[in-house]
Amino acid sequence: MRLVDTLNSSLQNRAIPDYLNASALRRIHSFVRREGRMTGAQQRALMECWEPFGVEAGAVLLEPKILFGRCAPLVLEIGFGNGESLAVMAAAHPEWDYLGIEVHRPGIGHLLLRAMELQLTNLRILCADAVEALERQLPDECLDRMQIFFPDPWPKVRHHKRRLIQAKRIALLVRKIKPYGQLHVATDCEDYACAMLSLFNTTPELANTAAGGGFAPRPTWRPLTKFEQRGQRLGHVIRDLLFIRRDLALPLAE
Ligand SMILES: C[S@@+](CC[C@H](N)C(=O)[O-])C[C@H]1O[C@@H](n2cnc3c(N)ncnc32)[C@H](O)[C@@H]1O
């Protein structure tokens, strides 16, 4: 349900749901809701193909086993854009389940079309602010991998507070990943890449898979994304950060 619909219905009922508290409404978002141009096909997909793939946003805790009707490793992609790379990954790994979260409706329409074309049964889509979804809908330690490819860079210093990945949010991101699950981020924004590397390297729950605590080599299995192609055209260096969530109940291996 859209925030405005939720507000309208709660005003009619004269009750404000707990999760629409003042701090949620004041939140500085990591995205700007620009609908852009939506094709007729994307619009139709949103109306007609939402049913097998769409997950209801709100305050209901999601149970992956029920969502996918089976027990399988679960990957979450935050901010999938047009969803091309997510569709390719889901098609290549039918034995894994994929949940994508995005706020950009034309991108969701695009992914629905691809999901229908590829007859994907292991993909679910949530149209929501990922921060709210992590806080309210995703159980802790449910993810085998969290992937965030080319998060909005917000390059101006005064906009850094909008970045999705930042110190105040690292605990929320990490606690959704199972012990030994992966956190995989890619970016073409050097300043953001360095800030994330330093943040992840100093987060005790995370272990860097890259030699010397640096950036990881680009995994061959990560499909090229639309924003990565844009970064390449602009001559940007692409950085991958690949970390494993440690099990802090066990002694750390040196
Ligand atoms: C720069 S684009 C990258 C898209 C895609 N991953 C790619 O590489 O082509 C970042 C995407 O993240 C989405 N996004 C940013 N913050 C988000 C949030 N809090 N929740 C859901 N989606 C978000 C934006 O709508 C946008 O589509």
Side-chain angles (χ1 to χ4, degrees):
M1 188 186 275
R2 291 180 313 148
L3 185 61
V4 67
D5 296 333
T6 313
L7 275 173
N8 283 340
S9 79
S10 65
L11 282 176
Q12 278 160 14
N13 296 332
R14 293 178 185 277
I16 302 287
D18 280 352
Y19 61 86
L20 286 182
N21 58 26
S23 74
L25 291 173
R26 270 201 312 270
R27 172 167 292 141
I28 296 167
H29 291 109
S30 60
F31 55 87
V32 176
R33 231 184 255 274
R34 280 193 209 96
E35 278 297 279
R37 204 178 69 81
M38 172 129 47
T39 65
Q42 288 167 354
Q43 223 151 18
R44 270 194 305 284
L46 281 168
M47 286 187 299
E48 293 165 14
C49 312
W50 179 248
E51 196 50 57
F53 303 104
V55 178
E56 200 188 330
V60 178
L61 193 68
L62 300 175
E63 176 52 73
K65 222 188 297 180
I66 293 171
L67 208 56
F68 292 91
R70 66 172 184 175
C71 243
L74 179 61
V75 177
L76 170 70
E77 179 160 339
I78 297 178
F80 56 72
N82 70 8
E84 272 299 325
S85 60
L86 182 54
V88 168
M89 287 178 111
H93 296 284
E95 73 285 11
W96 284 57
D97 288 332
Y98 291 82
L99 173 65
I101 307 183
E102 178 54 74
V103 285
H104 185 59
R105 285 174 6 109
I108 294 174
H110 185 95
L111 178 57
L112 286 170
L113 289 171
R114 292 290 283 138
M116 291 297 283
E117 226 168 70
L118 296 165
Q119 300 183 355
L120 299 177
T121 56
N122 59 339
L123 174 73
R124 298 292 180 271
I125 302 170
L126 186 56
C127 177
D129 175 353
V131 176
E132 289 176 19
L134 291 176
E135 285 173 349
R136 302 201 310 250
Q137 293 197 266
L138 253 85
D140 289 348
E141 300 194 351
C142 70
L143 303 174
D144 291 86
R145 188 193 306 142
M146 178 186 286
Q147 54 192 41
I148 309 175
F149 299 148
F150 304 87
D152 291 303
W154 296 108
K156 292 182 182 152
V157 173
R158 71 173 191 277
H159 288 154
H160 283 186
K161 58 180 180 279
R162 284 184 169 274
R163 285 179 168 175
L164 181 65
I165 300 167
Q166 48 176 302
K168 71 171 186 190
R169 208 162 279 142
I170 191 67
L172 175 67
L173 298 176
V174 166
R175 74 168 191 262
K176 301 295 159 182
I177 304 170
K178 290 178 187 169
Y180 308 109
Q182 294 178 337
L183 173 62
H184 185 189
V185 180
T187 183
D188 65 334
C189 174
E190 189 65 12
D191 156 60
Y192 200 3
C194 293
M196 289 189 289
L197 185 65
S198 153
L199 175 63
F200 295 172
N201 273 336
T202 51
T203 298
E205 294 87 351
L206 292 175
N208 196 339
T209 64
F215 295 110
R218 186 190 191 289
T220 49
W221 44 263
R222 180 168 69 69
L224 200 65
T225 77
K226 186 175 165 189
F227 271 80
E228 182 170 16
Q229 289 175 52
R230 176 183 171 276
Q232 286 177 340
R233 276 199 307 275
L234 294 170
H236 296 172
V237 176
I238 309 293
R239 302 290 196 187
D240 279 79
L241 297 92
L242 190 53
F243 283 71
I244 303 282
R245 181 174 165 185
R246 288 187 165 116
D247 185 351
L248 287 183
L250 297 176
L252 300 184
E254 287 306 315

